Structure formats: C-alpha cells, structure tokens
Amino acid sequence: MKRIAFFSGDITRSGGTERVGTLIANALAKEQEYQVYFISLTHENENPAYEISAQIPRSAFSKKWVHPGPGYLPIIFQLIRYIRKNKIDVVIDIDGVLDILSLPAKWFTHVKVISWEHFYFYNELGTSYRKIIRKLAARYADAIVTLTEQDKGFYEKNLTIRHSIQAIHNPVDYMQPNGTVFQRDYGEKIILSVGRLCEAKAFERIPQIAARIKEKYQGFAFQWLIAGEGELREQIEEEIRKWNVEQEVILLGHVAELGAIYEKALIYVMTSRYEGLPMVLLEAKMYGLPCISFDIMTGPSEIIRDGVDGYLIDNKTEQTIPDKMVDGIFELLTDQKRYEEFSARAQGNLDAFRMDTVMASWKELLARI
C-alpha cells in the first residue's frame, strides 16, 4: 500500500485548490492500494469547507498561519517527524510554495515529492520567492504537475526539469448539472460572467464592451449579468455609469446557487487578464453555453475551440476592445442557427476533464515515481 500525504496551507478553506485537492484525495482513498492523509500548515476552521472522506486523517502543524521565513524551520522538522511516523511514501504539495518545506524534508526522509502547480508559470502572486521555489522544484521535485499543457510548456521553456513534468487537468464532474437538456429562451439575450470582482478577472472592462455593442448595433437589447463580489465593485459601478450601461450591465453580488443563472444565460464571456485553469469556462460548457474569452495565459485555448463552440479573442492591448469580441457576442445572440450549433458542441471536448481521465493520469504518475 502506498501512503500519500496531500500537503496544503489550510485544507479547511473554501478555495479552488482546496476543492480540487479534496476531490483527488477522496478518489484515491477509495482505492485499496492507497492510504491517504491530509496535512496543513494550520486549520482556520474546525470543519473543512469540502467534505473529506472519513478514511483520510487530517493534521495541522500550527495553531495559526505561518508566513514564509524563519517560522518555516520548525515546520520542516514537524513534517520530517510526520513523514517518518506515518511512513509516508509521497507528499503532494497542493500549492507549489509548500515545496520550500517538503523538499528539505525529502532530503532527510527520501520521501517522493510532487509539486502541484495551480497557478500559471508567470504568475508569482506578488511574491518573488515563488520564482526561486519553482527553480528548486524543477531541480529536486520528483514530479511537477501543471493544470494545462500550455503551462507545462512554460516550465520546459524556462527551467531544466530534472525528473518529470506532466499536465493533469482539474476534474469537472462535481459541476455536472442535474439535467442534460436546457430549455433556454433565445429571446432573452443574457450574457453571463462569474467570479471575484478583482484585478485578475478584469470585469471593469465589461461596461466598455457593453457600450461598444450598443454603439455598433444600435437598438439591440441585451443584459450582461456579473455574479460575484470583491474589492473592485465600486470601480466597476463607476465604469457602468461612465459608459451609460446601467440597464445592460447588472452586478448580482454573491450568488450561492449558480445553476439557475447558467440555465438562463445564452452565452458565457470571460474577460480575465490571467488564469490557471478557468473552471468557470468548464462549468459554462457543462451547461451547454458557448464561451467567448480573451486568449490569455493559461487555459482558455485548451477549453474553447475557436469557431467550433466559442471564440478566442486576441488580447494584445487593454486600451481597445477588439471587434471580434463585440461581433462574436452579437453574432451568437442574433444568429440562432450558429448559436445552436455552438451550444450542441459545448460538451464535446470535456472528456479530458472528466474524473476517470484525471484519476488515470494521477494513478499512472504515482506508479511511475
């Protein structure tokens, strides 16, 4: 039996990395050949945000959050003791920054380390030490897992990978809608965007895009719903007033259950500046929505098939709104035949993101290292 420890900053949080880490760990725990553990720097909450199998023990090394620096040293020793006590064979770092703890532990225990990168290579999240840690992972980790083939290519281009690197997508099965046939009213011209109102998502560009649609296609009525909350709400509200699209662009705030909105919308539009693997695009496609996105790093080009089930838009500058974005939205909201063709194909390339495919890749990797 192979003993595998998933290492996170705090597995009780409700972020995307915690959700996916829990999904993969729970799936492995069902297999007889694995004993799975969760270890965290700390547990902010008594209960995890996502259900963890009762077969998986959970442990935390500190009662409070530990910032990178000298405070990491005692954590390394705790991790070494934990690995030895539980005879751990593989540590999977759910956040690549944790490699700074697990790689020193590897040198003292000979445990195998998998660095699981949830952010694209050029995104340092405001911390320069990520670049250093990625270099260490390239040299010493037994495997690096990226979310996309594009990001794998960035690693291979910029670093010398000494061992193994593999792209494994996140699974989408938990997003599966209750129904498979969606009765949309094509007469309701509803565009949907979902996410945190933050710099990365660039929702402040939506009012300008909406204004360009109004200007270019006068008399065309539509609504653009934005589901989410965040620090840029006031800025987006100001842009809505500036571009005079109060009737077209609607901020819904936090929406607990998005299913009904996905079923109501006709198309999904993503304006992000960067992503890791944009799960919102996958969720939209699960609901049969054609998707339009700026062709950013990373993920949209592996999800959207340009001209088949959506459109990828070159985003060379943020100073102008590309005509293809404006025209693509208008086309799909007015050409019902094209819309229905795109919608019918939306789920056509999701097999690579299904749990069976994802788990086969993880099990192959674990067997190989």
Side-chain angles (χ1 to χ4, degrees):
M1 178 179 289
K2 185 166 285 189
R3 296 172 178 267
I4 302 165
F6 285 79
F7 190 13
S8 76
D10 181 354
I11 200 57
T12 69
R13 290 180 175 178
S14 60
T17 56
E18 289 79 20
R19 181 195 288 275
V20 175
T22 299
L23 285 170
I24 301 302
N26 285 344
L28 286 175
K30 294 177 182 178
E31 307 282 342
Q32 290 185 351
E33 62 263 41
Y34 305 109
Q35 171 62 58
V36 179
Y37 303 79
F38 262 121
I39 48 180
S40 298
L41 290 180
T42 189
H43 286 160
E44 182 179 307
N45 307 297
E46 183 177 348
N47 296 311
Y50 309 109
E51 185 177 354
I52 294 175
S53 168
Q55 298 173 274
I56 303 178
R58 287 192 296 123
S59 300
F61 294 134
S62 174
K63 292 182 179 179
K64 60 182 181 180
W65 186 255
V66 183
H67 294 283
Y72 268 5
L73 190 58
I75 300 296
I76 293 172
F77 288 112
Q78 290 185 66
L79 179 58
I80 291 170
R81 287 195 294 270
Y82 185 92
I83 290 169
R84 287 174 173 168
K85 178 182 177 182
N86 294 283
K87 300 179 181 178
I88 303 298
D89 298 300
V90 181
V91 171
I92 300 176
D93 292 334
I94 295 179
D95 185 342
V97 76
L98 296 171
D99 297 344
I100 199 66
L101 299 169
S102 57
L103 291 176
K106 166 186 168 69
W107 301 331
F108 289 96
T109 63
H110 304 295
V111 71
K112 302 291 186 181
V113 173
I114 297 176
S115 177
W116 189 4
E117 183 56 80
H118 287 267
F119 307 98
Y120 80 94
F121 182 84
Y122 295 106
N123 183 8
E124 296 177 12
L125 299 175
T127 55
S128 58
Y129 57 79
R130 278 189 178 270
K131 184 182 293 185
I132 298 170
I133 294 171
R134 283 174 177 145
K135 289 181 179 179
L136 290 172
R139 185 178 180 88
Y140 297 111
D142 296 279
I144 295 172
V145 172
T146 64
L147 299 185
T148 65
E149 291 290 344
Q150 186 180 22
D151 204 35
K152 176 187 173 187
F154 293 148
Y155 268 85
E156 292 172 330
K157 177 182 176 181
N158 291 279
L159 299 172
T160 301
I161 311 297
R162 292 216 167 181
H163 296 286
S164 171
I165 184 167
Q166 183 171 348
I168 304 178
H169 297 310
N170 286 343
V172 298
D173 300 67
Y174 71 92
M175 301 175 175
Q176 186 68 49
N178 292 327
T180 55
V181 178
F182 308 105
Q183 302 297 327
R184 294 189 167 91
D185 182 355
Y186 190 73
E188 287 194 69
K189 310 302 184 181
I190 296 177
I191 307 163
L192 177 62
S193 296
V194 177
R196 183 170 178 79
L197 308 185
C198 63
E199 187 268 343
K201 304 301 179 185
F203 288 150
E204 72 277 5
R205 301 190 73 190
I206 288 177
Q208 186 181 1
I209 299 170
R212 287 274 286 110
I213 296 171
K214 282 182 66 177
E215 177 189 15
K216 191 167 185 177
Y217 301 104
Q218 294 184 18
F220 176 63
F222 64 94
Q223 272 202 327
W224 196 325
L225 306 180
I226 305 175
E229 258 316 335
E231 59 271 20
L232 294 189
R233 171 179 268 273
E234 289 186 8
Q235 180 182 342
I236 297 169
E237 289 174 337
E238 184 178 328
E239 290 294 308
I240 290 172
R241 291 189 293 269
K242 171 184 172 182
W243 293 100
N244 191 30
V245 288
E246 291 94 333
Q247 300 303 311
E248 287 79 20
V249 180
I250 310 297
L251 293 175
L252 299 178
H254 175 70
V255 178
E257 179 49 59
L258 288 167
I261 300 176
Y262 275 115
E263 291 187 25
K264 189 176 183 181
L266 286 185
I267 64 173
Y268 188 93
V269 175
M270 194 174 82
T271 56
S272 296
R273 292 182 171 91
Y274 54 85
E275 292 279 346
L277 178 67
M279 301 300 283
V280 288
L281 290 182
L282 292 167
E283 189 163 19
K285 294 189 75 174
M286 294 282 276
Y287 279 87
L289 292 183
C291 296
I292 301 176
S293 172
F294 289 122
D295 190 9
I296 55 166
M297 298 184 292
T298 55
S301 62
E302 294 182 36
I303 298 173
I304 297 172
R305 295 170 293 176
D306 188 41
V308 176
D309 53 25
Y311 291 119
L312 291 168
I313 314 296
D314 286 339
N315 190 31
K316 294 182 174 62
T317 174
E318 291 192 23
Q319 307 310 312
T320 59
I321 301 300
D323 284 339
K324 187 178 177 182
M325 171 68 82
V326 175
D327 296 341
I329 292 172
F330 180 76
E331 178 193 62
L332 290 176
L333 294 182
T334 56
D335 185 339
Q336 188 167 357
K337 183 174 184 294
R338 173 63 63 89
Y339 173 81
E340 289 175 352
E341 289 173 350
F342 277 31
S343 179
R345 300 174 189 142
Q347 294 191 20
N349 66 332
L350 293 184
D351 283 351
F353 302 92
R354 300 287 185 182
M355 181 62 90
D356 287 349
T357 304
V358 171
M359 288 311 301
S361 296
W362 273 107
K363 289 167 71 174
E364 183 275 330
L365 174 60
L366 290 168
R368 177 158 41 87
I369 67 167

